[in-house]
Amino acid sequence: MTVTDPAPAAAPAVFDELESAVRTYCRRFPAVFTRASGHLMWDEQGREYVDFLSGAGALNYGHNPAGAKAALVDYLLADGPAHGLDLHTSAKARFLERFREVVLAPRGLDHRVQFTGPTGTNAVEAAFKTARRVTGRTDIVAFTGGFHGLSLGALAASATAFKRGAAGVPLGHVTRMPYEGYFGPDTDTVDHLTRLLDDPGSGVDKPAAVIVETVQGEGGLAVASPGWLRRLAEAVRERDILLIVDDIQAGCGRTGTFFSFEEAGIVPDLVCLSKSVSGYGMPMALTLIRPDLDRLGPGEHSGTFRGNNLAFVTAAACLEHWADPEFTARVRAHASVLDGLLTELAARHPELGCAPRGRGLIRGLAFTDDTTADRVSRAAFERGLLVETSGARGQVLKLMPPLVTGEEDLRHGVRILAGALESVSAQSPQEERQ
């Protein structure tokens, strides 16, 4: 699709007539998509779009990855059970075996795998319940800029006022602490946390757990440094507080290693995974739990769709990427390419106050004007590129290309983005909104 192509046709009226007003992405990308493969999507008119949205991080291996698709088709043709609650199935056994062999064992992890309801927020709820059961304490420490889901417990730990405001009830039992860099580069926010925890006059109760994202996917792509994460892990361990890493968006390879915390060399007590853990966009979520912390009894946290066998099949197939010793190197090489392209692009637009954000292949551009990222995203869509926004004020443009996107395809997507930036830069915010 080029800038001279006609705009996508109007979507059928049935969406406005029947679908809830809560929908979001279709408002930003008003096309009707009919086909998708790898990093590309096509609409009803056959227009091609480069997808750097990746299902909000649920499609790290691209749309319809061939190996996973073949395994899924074979399983369906063999009448394998699609739904299984927590019954034993061959599909679940295969996933667990490969997950241990390819992910856990090479990293020296012995965590148990709890299959929760099929969304990331459910994995967070399970982690909170476990931490509270194990410690007998109530509060959770969460950070400024964090996002952990929209069910009430996870929402209480999420920071964005707009999303919290929809709860309709008080959101409690969470103590908010500043993320790295919140007060600028001269303030160590781990020291801030420990001083409050250790001061009997601070009014901060000892929490059950601390939950953290190493890269804040919805919080403007703020990044925690390895040193800060190590100090945080040490601080909570010394105080008998559990560490939960929310790796729902930054995990499954998005930062260049399977878990985003590997670079820091830490071992969380609990890890929340979802989004790309199924490898195919299939609903699936899990919470990894240190064996001695696996204290919830049968049925104390469950869900009808925790046994999505189709997701187990595709997840096991996509884990084969991680059995390839060259895969991580390729992801890191492509991340380096993207970093260079975005740094160059930002340098070309000082008038927009443009600055790179993020790590690995969860990257973005921050702007001084809070409206710019939205305008660039919409201009990019008109040119055939899907990119979303991030941050409490939507001030960051977020790029999440599939991990398997080749170098030339990355460059092609950024060229489209460059055209969108040029277009927005040429117009004042007032003109653009008219």
Side-chain angles (χ1 to χ4, degrees), residues 87 108 153 206 256 305 357:
L87 295 171
K206 185 176 181 179
F305 297 102
R357 290 286 184 274

Side-chain angles (χ1 to χ4, degrees), residues 27 48 58 80 84 88 106 111-112 124 184 220 245-246 252-253 256 261:
R27 300 181 189 276
E48 181 182 281
H88 298 317
H111 291 53
R112 297 278 181 88
V124 170
V245 169
D246 180 340
C252 297
F261 53 81

Side-chain angles (χ1 to χ4, degrees), residues 41-299:
M41 298 184 75
W42 291 267
D43 68 13
E44 284 185 321
Q45 285 70 48
R47 295 185 179 88
E48 181 182 281
Y49 299 82
V50 173
D51 182 6
F52 281 7
L53 172 66
S54 292
L59 297 167
N60 280 4
Y61 310 101
H63 293 274
N64 294 305
K69 180 167 64 175
L72 179 58
V73 169
D74 289 346
Y75 186 80
L76 289 169
L77 290 177
D79 286 334
H83 176 272
L85 297 170
D86 60 9
L87 295 171
H88 298 317
T89 66
S90 59
K92 184 195 287 187
R94 170 67 176 166
F95 167 73
L96 286 170
E97 288 166 356
R98 290 307 282 158
F99 192 71
R100 178 170 57 192
E101 293 164 357
V102 175
V103 175
L104 296 180
R107 293 161 178 82
L109 302 178
D110 63 353
H111 291 53
R112 297 278 181 88
V113 179
Q114 180 182 355
F115 295 106
T116 68
T119 62
T121 192
N122 206 285
V124 170
E125 298 284 0
F128 287 177
K129 285 182 182 178
T130 298
R132 286 164 171 151
R133 170 65 56 84
V134 169
T135 65
R137 299 190 290 269
T138 301
D139 279 9
I140 304 291
V141 165
F143 290 98
T144 54
F147 177 74
H148 304 287
L150 296 176
S151 54
L152 289 180
L155 182 59
S158 299
T160 306
F162 171 73
K163 296 182 185 297
R164 291 171 61 84
V169 297
L171 297 171
H173 304 301
V174 168
T175 300
R176 191 79 49 196
M177 290 289 172
Y179 195 69
E180 184 176 18
Y182 187 78
F183 292 127
D186 298 327
T187 300
D188 187 332
T189 54
V190 173
D191 286 347
H192 178 93
L193 168 65
T194 56
R195 181 171 180 176
L196 289 171
L197 289 175
D198 294 343
D199 180 0
S202 71
V204 174
D205 295 326
K206 185 176 181 179
V210 170
I211 187 168
V212 65
E213 301 164 277
T214 68
V215 181
Q216 294 187 327
E218 301 302 312
L221 303 183
V223 175
S225 68
W228 186 86
L229 289 168
R230 285 192 290 269
R231 292 196 303 279
L232 176 65
E234 181 180 2
V236 299
R237 182 175 61 251
E238 290 175 347
R239 292 161 177 80
D240 192 31
I241 299 165
L242 299 183
L243 178 63
I244 304 169
V245 169
D246 180 340
D247 236 3
I248 290 165
Q249 189 161 133
C252 297
R254 183 52 60 182
T255 62
T257 52
F258 188 87
F259 295 111
S260 71
F261 53 81
E262 291 181 51
E263 181 183 5
I266 63 174
V267 179
D269 300 297
L270 301 108
V271 182
C272 302
L273 291 174
S274 186
K275 289 194 182 286
S276 279
V277 72
S278 81
Y280 205 82
M282 292 278 186
M284 180 178 175
L286 51 88
T287 303
L288 304 181
I289 308 168
R290 253 181 39 207
D292 58 306
L293 306 179
D294 189 20
R295 307 273 187 88
L296 294 181

